[in-house]
């Protein structure tokens, strides 16, 4: 499933020792496996091969230019959520014509930029947004391709902060309103009704919510497609990954065949959805982020101190919540392994960063090998929503990023020089 593995007692990414990378690039360091990226993209692309389809990588999960170029080279499109992301697509060598633009707050300037670049479709989240797109398109004398994002009111049963397909959420257009909105939008001169879209949430580890949601919207999609000669349907992104355990060594037998456990895989997804989607005769888009990049990345960090208190064994590391916020924000699990295998008993440990917040931890009371000052650790499955959610909190520079391909590796982002953090700031005139 991914290319982080032990060779002897050393942890490798593909053919490269992570300790060697930590030495050369320093820590905290994000490391990405090109092979895992390609493999995951191809698995999805192959699963959908029986249909006319396009995989649009949701670049919000990881927008490093090298990561994006790997996917663009495989023919990937991109799901963007800002003009900035669309500019990144262009910088990475991607094709704006294979881009869809999602998000509830598209500004007129962003709409104009996307129209000028000729994106494939705006995935619209409200009627006022459709009217605004029409106005901007009229000004530019263009017809804007759009799809309405249906909110099917089906819970993805995932973490509440990443569930999007119910009426509690700000996303999409209520299922019952969709038909009337298409009817009104069809009268707008500068709108081209190109498709229908849906996205019910992120980190879905079962196919069932997709199946339920697709079955619910299917009759409506058929009707709209016939009435307005639509070209595509997208059931969205959200395909989940296995975080625990991330490393294949010593893991349960089902690891080798997750589908047997009812876990979502490209094959099980295709098996359930293809029979529903094929009869539509439409082009099928999907917009996965995490599935492609999640297991393809690790965050490498060094132990600064080990501090024992009456109750705890704190392993204090040089990465912190500003580098990887997922555990603090979603209570998420990232497997933590030393770069060099340790023997001996495991100790319940809290791996924590140096930020002045009690929420700044990567795990709590987790049985881990005994590590000491200077040891290096990998936080696995950190390729999605890792670096992209990093901040400069506590004036900590953004980490460096490296791409590995077989035995080759190269820096994909330099560590941020600390002075760059305040480069845009000023001491205002009256204080001088
Ligand atoms: N399409 C739309 C409209 C989305 O909102 C998202 C994710 C995706 C596609 C891609 O979802 P994916 O395939 O990556 O699950 N920061 C959180 C995840 C936030 C997801 C936001 N939307 C995390 O770290 O778990």
């Amino acid at each position: 499933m991914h290319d982080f593995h032990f060779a002897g007692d050393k942890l490798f990414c593909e053919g490269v020792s992570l300790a060697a990378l930590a030495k050369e690039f320093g820590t905290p360091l994000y490391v990405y496996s090109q092979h895992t990226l390609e493999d995951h993209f191809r698995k999805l692309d192959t699963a959908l091969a029986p249909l006319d389809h396009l995989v649009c990588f949701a670049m919000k999960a990881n927008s490093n230019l090298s990561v994006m170029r790997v996917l663009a080279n495989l023919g990937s499109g991109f799901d963007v959520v800002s003009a900035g992301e669309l500019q990144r697509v262009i910088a990475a060598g991607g094709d704006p014509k294979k881009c869809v633009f999602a998000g509830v707050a598209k500004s007129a300037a962003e709409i104009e930029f996307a129209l000028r670049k000729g994106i494939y479709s705006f995935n619209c989240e409200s009627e006022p947004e459709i009217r605004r797109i029409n106005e901007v398109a009229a000004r530019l004398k263009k017809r804007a391709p759009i799809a309405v994002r249906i909110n099917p009111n089906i819970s993805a049963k995932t973490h509440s902060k990443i569930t999007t397909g119910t009426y509690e959420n700000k996303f999409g257009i209520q299922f019952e309103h969709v038909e009337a909105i298409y009817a009104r939008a069809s009268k707008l001169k500068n709108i081209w009704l190109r498709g229908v879209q849906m996205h019910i949430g992120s980190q879905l580890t079962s196919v069932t919510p997709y199946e339920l949601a697709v079955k619910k919207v299917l009759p409506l999609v058929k009707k709209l497609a016939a009435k307005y000669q639509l070209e595509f349907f997208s059931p969205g992104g959200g395909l989940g990954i296995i975080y625990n355990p991330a490393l294949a060594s010593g893991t349960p037998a089902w690891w080798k065949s997750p589908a047997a456990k009812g876990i979502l895989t490209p094959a099980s997804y295709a098996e359930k959805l293809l029979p529903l989607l094929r009869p539509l005769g439409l082009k099928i888009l999907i917009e996965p982020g995490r599935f492609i990049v999640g297991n393809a990345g690790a965050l490498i960090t060094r132990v600064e101190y080990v501090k024992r208190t009456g109750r705890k064994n704190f392993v204090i590391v040089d990465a912190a919540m500003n580098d990887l916020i997922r555990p603090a924000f979603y209570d998420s699990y990232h497997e933590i392994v030393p770069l060099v295998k340790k023997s001996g008993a495991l100790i319940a440990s809290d791996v924590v960063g140096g930020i002045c917040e009690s929420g700044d931890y990567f795990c709590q009371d987790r049985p881990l090998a005994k590590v000491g000052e200077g040891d290096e650790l990998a936080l696995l499955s950190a390729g999605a929503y890792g670096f992209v959610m990093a901040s400069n909190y506590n004036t900590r520079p953004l980490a460096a990023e490296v791409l590995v391909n077989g035995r080759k590796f190269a820096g994909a982002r330099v560590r941020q020089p600390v002075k760059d953090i305040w480069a845009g700031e000023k001491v205002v005139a009256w204080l001088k």
Side-chain angles (χ1 to χ4, degrees):
M1 314 266 297
H2 65 76
D3 295 83
F4 291 87
H5 58 91
F6 277 103
D9 62 353
K10 293 206 172 62
L11 189 61
F12 275 66
C13 173
E14 303 194 23
V16 178
S17 141
L18 289 172
L21 290 180
K23 193 161 178 210
E24 180 154 348
F25 294 94
T27 52
L29 178 69
Y30 275 96
V31 179
Y32 306 121
S33 155
Q34 180 169 339
H35 179 260
T36 309
L37 289 169
E38 292 173 337
D39 182 50
H40 287 187
F41 179 87
R42 287 202 182 104
K43 279 188 171 127
L44 275 177
D45 205 35
T46 309
L48 295 176
L51 305 176
D52 177 15
H53 72 279
L54 178 65
V55 178
C56 292
F57 171 61
M59 61 179 284
K60 63 167 79 73
N62 188 322
S63 53
N64 180 280
L65 294 185
S66 289
V67 167
M68 292 179 59
R69 175 67 72 93
V70 167
L71 299 170
N73 285 350
L74 296 176
S76 182
F78 296 93
D79 172 306
V80 309
V81 290
S82 68
E85 285 198 345
L86 187 53
Q87 280 172 268
R88 256 185 196 273
V89 169
I90 296 162
D95 182 357
K97 294 189 176 56
K98 290 185 177 173
C99 286
V100 291
F101 192 159
V104 296
K106 302 171 187 86
S107 72
E110 288 183 310
I111 294 166
E112 174 166 345
F113 181 68
L115 273 171
R116 288 191 190 280
K117 294 296 167 196
I119 63 158
Y120 181 75
S121 179
F122 291 92
N123 291 339
C124 299
E125 310 236 12
S126 68
E127 204 168 4
E129 178 191 328
I130 299 173
R131 285 200 295 270
R132 183 181 287 179
I133 293 174
N134 183 56
E135 281 160 26
V136 177
R139 185 153 49 75
L140 301 183
K141 301 193 173 36
K142 287 182 184 286
R143 285 187 81 208
I146 72 151
V148 164
R149 172 175 175 176
I150 304 180
N151 182 332
N153 197 25
I154 290 197
S155 167
K157 299 203 166 49
T158 173
H159 191 282
S160 64
K161 286 199 176 117
I162 50 177
T163 288
T164 56
T166 76
Y167 292 167
E168 299 298 311
N169 311 120
K170 68 184 173 189
F171 302 101
I173 292 180
Q174 190 174 331
F175 179 74
E176 294 78 8
H177 297 172
V178 171
E179 203 173 343
I181 288 185
Y182 272 85
R184 289 196 286 276
S186 71
K187 302 210 167 68
L188 300 174
K189 278 213 193 84
N190 297 82
I191 291 292
W192 165 20
L193 295 172
R194 194 169 196 178
V196 190
Q197 201 261 355
M198 179 175 88
H199 174 78
I200 56 175
S202 192
Q203 183 53 10
L204 274 73
T205 49
S206 150
V207 197
T208 310
Y210 284 111
E211 231 186 316
L212 292 175
V214 169
K215 280 187 176 153
K216 177 165 179 182
V217 303
L218 220 50
L220 177 62
V221 174
K222 274 187 200 150
K223 198 167 164 187
L224 295 171
K227 196 161 175 191
Y228 303 109
Q229 289 87 52
L230 302 183
E231 184 178 297
F232 80 95
F233 171 61
S234 165
L239 290 85
I241 61 168
I242 298 169
Y243 281 100
N244 179 13
L247 214 55
S249 54
T251 54
W254 60 259
W255 174 263
K256 300 264 183 271
S257 60
K261 264 281 206 171
I263 290 170
L264 187 144
T265 64
S268 65
Y269 179 85
E271 186 187 313
K272 296 287 183 201
L273 293 193
L274 253 49
L276 301 173
L277 299 175
R278 200 197 303 261
L280 284 174
L282 297 175
K283 179 174 178 140
I284 300 301
L285 265 61
I286 55 168
E287 295 107 19
R290 185 187 326 257
F291 181 83
I292 291 173
V293 80
N295 290 137
L299 173 60
I300 313 303
T301 183
R302 222 163 50 92
V303 178
E304 293 286 4
Y305 302 100
V306 176
K307 173 168 160 179
R308 285 170 178 279
T309 66
R311 276 209 53 243
K312 294 270 196 181
N313 184 51
F314 287 110
V315 176
I316 304 170
V317 296
D318 67 358
M321 65 191 285
N322 73 299
D323 299 297
L324 176 67
I325 203 171
R326 302 194 68 257
F329 206 41
Y330 312 107
D331 296 313
S332 61
Y333 181 98
H334 288 270
E335 189 168 349
I336 302 177
V337 284
L339 298 197
V340 180
K341 258 189 196 164
K342 304 267 175 190
S343 52
L346 304 181
I347 328 174
S349 304
D350 286 26
V351 177
V352 300
I355 286 179
C356 321
E357 302 224 13
S358 303
D360 179 26
Y361 59 80
F362 294 123
C363 70
Q364 290 183 300
D365 294 319
R366 190 183 299 174
L368 290 181
K370 186 171 177 202
V371 291
E373 227 171 285
D375 282 337
E376 286 147 343
L377 307 175
L379 283 90
L380 299 175
S381 304
Y385 307 107
F387 185 90
V388 285
M389 293 181 79
S391 76
N392 288 128
Y393 190 33
N394 282 206
T395 304
R396 292 167 54 92
L398 298 175
E401 294 173 289
V402 171
L403 185 71
V404 172
N405 181 19
R407 289 177 188 276
K408 283 191 298 200
F409 59 86
R413 180 185 181 107
V414 295
R415 186 172 307 287
Q416 186 180 31
V418 74
K419 284 188 177 167
D420 284 8
I421 299 177
W422 60 84
E425 297 175 30
K426 282 189 180 125
V427 175
V428 298
W430 70 81
L431 294 176
K432 284 184 186 162

